[in-house]
Amino acid sequence: MVVSQMPMGQSRLDALGGTLALALLLTLVVLLPTAQAFVPGHPQPSFRSSPTIRARASAREVTTLGGEDMSWQEGLNLLETLETPTVEIYNKVLKACAREGQWEPGCWLLEEMVELGLEPDRQSFVLAIEACGEQGRYEEANHVLSYMKDAEHKLDNEVYGFVARACEAAKNWRQLQWTLDEMTYRELVPDLVTYNRAIGGCGEEGEWEMALTLVLEADRRGVTCDYASYDLAMQALHKAKQATRAHELLKTMKEAGVAPGKDMLALVMKLCQEAGEMVRVEEIGRELDRGGLGGGRRVE
């Protein structure tokens, strides 16, 4: 019987190949858990270090290093140096995201906290919604808001104010109206800033009916409209060429104790003139001759 023998050189090559394959397998086994530790879609920081190369910092050191002017990217890099990050540290990074309008990493960080077994507190949710608000991501803001409701955190004007900001930035006035309606349902009263945002948005889109509705609604809810509120509504009426409504709004202002200024009177007079309402033109003209009422000054 003839037994074939493999050359000695070939045997050594096979052995070396087997050793390299085993080493590669062990390397993959070591690295795989590290790769899976991050949430899918997590933004990649500009610098990622390995625990074996760079010593991990303590939570105290990260708190000290991350100042108030820390960027969101610096925050992510600092988070990666921690084996056991805390809610406080996450909130510090979320604050940077909110300040810079980084809604996407803000939402991802909330998910990452949950996956790590951390329970986001009220501030965590508020900061993520704020980040969404600056970029007009009203859908994401409402998504975070729904989780905040499930967690039974306190909902107040601050939270809904950021959601309203997102609706305004996205120019979604219907969604903004729904946000105001939900506040009413929860017995919350939107502040003047939120109302003015909504009224101003209506003016940009020529939604004069909604602008007037918001002015009346604010008064009904006990929010005193200021000169800016009426001016924003008047811009909506001007854009829609609503001369009669504009003249009526002047009366509403005076009844509310807010004096229309010369520019506003001139604007309404021009609208009435274009509409052929000469009686009103003469009425406003006489008021202008008297010097107007000094826009913004309350009528005594």
Side-chain angles (χ1 to χ4, degrees):
M1 180 175 63
V2 178
V3 179
S4 59
Q5 293 184 348
M6 184 179 295
M8 182 64 70
Q10 183 66 37
S11 177
R12 288 176 178 174
L13 286 175
D14 288 344
L16 179 60
T19 302
L20 290 174
L22 180 59
L24 178 61
L25 179 61
L26 290 174
T27 301
L28 290 174
V29 170
V30 171
L31 292 179
L32 187 57
T34 302
Q36 291 178 337
F38 298 97
V39 179
H42 193 291
Q44 300 298 313
S46 56
F47 174 76
R48 185 186 298 279
S49 60
S50 170
T52 59
I53 298 175
R54 182 180 180 184
R56 291 186 176 274
S58 67
R60 183 183 182 87
E61 289 172 329
V62 173
T63 304
T64 303
L65 289 171
E68 291 299 320
D69 58 346
M70 175 182 66
S71 71
W72 68 276
Q73 291 175 318
E74 291 172 336
L76 290 181
N77 289 337
L78 289 175
L79 272 177
E80 290 193 19
T81 67
L82 286 174
E83 293 182 357
T84 56
T86 63
V87 173
E88 180 185 4
I89 299 301
Y90 269 99
N91 285 351
K92 200 173 187 66
V93 184
L94 282 167
K95 186 175 182 179
C97 292
R99 185 173 59 249
E100 299 177 43
Q102 293 292 334
W103 66 272
E104 201 167 9
C107 293
W108 283 332
L109 286 173
L110 281 182
E111 296 178 5
E112 186 173 276
M113 290 172 71
V114 175
E115 290 196 5
L116 292 176
L118 297 173
E119 184 176 346
D121 60 14
R122 182 181 182 279
Q123 186 184 15
S124 309
F125 288 107
V126 173
L127 290 170
I129 294 174
E130 182 181 358
C132 294
E134 292 302 315
Q135 297 299 318
R137 308 300 300 195
Y138 68 91
E139 291 182 346
E140 288 79 5
N142 278 303
H143 185 66
V144 176
L145 180 63
S146 66
Y147 278 105
M148 193 173 180
K149 295 174 185 175
D150 293 339
E152 299 183 348
H153 286 295
K154 179 183 177 182
L155 302 177
D156 55 14
N157 282 355
E158 180 188 31
V159 176
Y160 280 102
F162 290 134
V163 177
R165 176 72 184 91
C167 298
E168 179 200 14
K171 300 186 183 301
N172 192 320
W173 315 121
R174 296 295 176 184
Q175 182 64 49
L176 180 51
Q177 181 64 53
W178 292 335
T179 301
L180 296 180
D181 290 342
E182 184 174 344
M183 293 182 71
T184 302
Y185 172 76
R186 294 183 176 275
E187 299 183 348
L188 295 172
V189 179
D191 58 18
L192 182 60
V193 173
T194 302
Y195 268 115
N196 283 354
R197 282 175 174 172
I199 296 169
C202 293
E204 289 184 13
E205 295 299 306
E207 296 282 352
W208 64 270
E209 291 175 308
M210 186 177 292
L212 288 180
T213 298
L214 288 170
V215 169
L216 297 175
E217 180 181 295
D219 181 66
R220 188 174 63 252
R221 294 182 182 180
V223 178
T224 303
C225 288
D226 60 5
Y227 186 84
S229 310
Y230 291 106
D231 187 55
L232 290 168
M234 194 66 77
Q235 294 301 323
L237 294 172
H238 175 256
K239 189 171 184 176
K241 304 297 183 183
Q242 294 292 322
T244 301
R245 299 284 187 176
H247 189 264
E248 291 174 354
L249 185 59
L250 285 179
K251 294 181 178 179
T252 302
M253 288 181 67
K254 295 172 185 177
E255 290 171 358
V258 180
K262 291 182 180 180
D263 290 343
M264 185 181 291
L265 288 171
L267 180 68
V268 178
M269 186 170 72
K270 182 180 178 182
L271 275 176
C272 292
Q273 189 172 21
E274 291 173 351
E277 299 180 6
M278 302 312 297
V279 174
R280 288 173 176 167
V281 170
E282 293 175 2
E283 177 188 335
I284 298 172
R286 287 192 296 271
E287 194 165 341
L288 278 171
D289 290 340
R290 293 192 299 268
L293 294 173
R297 181 175 63 82
R298 301 198 68 81
V299 180
E300 300 298 339

